[in-house]
Amino acid sequence: MAKLEILHFPDPRLRNRALPVAQVDDTVRKLVDDMLETMYDAPGIGLAATQVNVALRVITIDVSDARDEPLVLINPELLATDGDIETEEGCLSVPGVYDNVRRASRIRVRALGRNGEPFEREAEDLLAVCIQHEMDHLEGKLFVDYLSQLKRSRIQKRALKAQRQAS
Ligand code: ZN
């Protein structure tokens, strides 16, 4: 396994739309394993392939306290959404920024697992929020897009300044 580099907002590659995985082969499984390692190392509770500059519809998630319940979603589709919940979100691609976002509180999702097996599952609260957040990444969308224009431009200015100082 290898740790992958995570793109940071406002990197334009975070705006790429991911393509469906045609076949879950060894290359995709390696991507999944590398994404899990990168996510656990960061540490984060979710990662989308878009964030590591791979334009494929692949997501890894683990919202468990013990960090031992990896969830892999390949080609995820939302089948149903219900309720709403507002939670403070953060993102490995927008370090240091946390803000409230409103999303569905219960979802039903269909996807393929690490070995290409199709499955459906229901999720609520934190897991539901996390799946929706990561699925947004596959569309080139970031949680800061839900914030006001003013907030977003402040976050962008701060991020660019931090990136200049780091380089
Ligand atoms: Zn994110």
Side-chain angles (χ1 to χ4, degrees):
M1 295 207 283
K3 238 182 75 185
L4 306 168
E5 191 197 336
I6 298 175
L7 302 179
H8 285 167
F9 174 78
D11 192 311
R13 291 171 291 180
L14 287 166
R15 299 303 184 181
N16 289 339
R17 264 197 96 217
L19 299 168
V21 171
Q23 196 189 347
V24 181
D25 55 14
D26 285 349
T27 310
V28 173
R29 276 188 287 275
K30 178 167 189 332
L31 171 66
V32 165
D33 293 345
D34 289 346
M35 283 174 60
L36 282 168
E37 184 181 353
T38 305
M39 178 186 80
Y40 284 123
D41 181 77
I45 59 172
L47 189 67
T50 316
Q51 294 177 273
V52 293
N53 198 26
V54 176
L56 286 175
R57 305 184 84 79
V58 176
I59 289 170
T60 58
I61 288 175
D62 191 339
V63 296
S64 71
D65 288 333
R67 316 280 289 149
D68 59 357
E69 292 173 35
L71 174 64
V72 175
L73 299 146
I74 298 171
N75 298 345
E77 279 173 84
L78 277 185
L79 301 176
T81 62
D82 191 23
D84 70 287
I85 185 173
E86 190 175 83
T87 51
E88 189 176 68
E89 294 190 21
C91 179
L92 292 176
S93 292
V94 197
V97 176
Y98 302 89
D99 216 316
N100 289 334
V101 177
R102 186 172 285 279
R103 298 188 191 268
S105 58
R106 283 186 302 278
I107 63 167
R108 182 161 187 85
V109 67
R110 175 163 60 203
L112 304 176
R114 185 184 174 280
N115 295 307
E117 73 286 7
F119 67 93
E120 283 185 26
R121 72 172 285 167
E122 272 159 22
E124 54 182 27
D125 302 330
L126 177 61
L127 180 58
V129 165
C130 190
I131 290 172
Q132 292 170 86
H133 174 119
E134 301 309 330
M135 284 183 71
D136 273 355
H137 276 301
L138 303 181
E139 304 301 328
K141 191 165 183 181
L142 296 164
F143 87 97
V144 294
D145 297 347
Y146 294 97
L147 309 179
S148 69
Q149 176 71 47
L150 179 66
K151 265 190 186 171
R152 198 165 51 249
S153 67
R154 273 194 201 135
I155 292 165
Q156 177 155 340
K157 258 187 228 154
R158 234 184 304 148
L160 288 171
K161 193 174 166 205
Q163 283 161 26
R164 269 198 308 274
Q165 282 168 348
S167 63

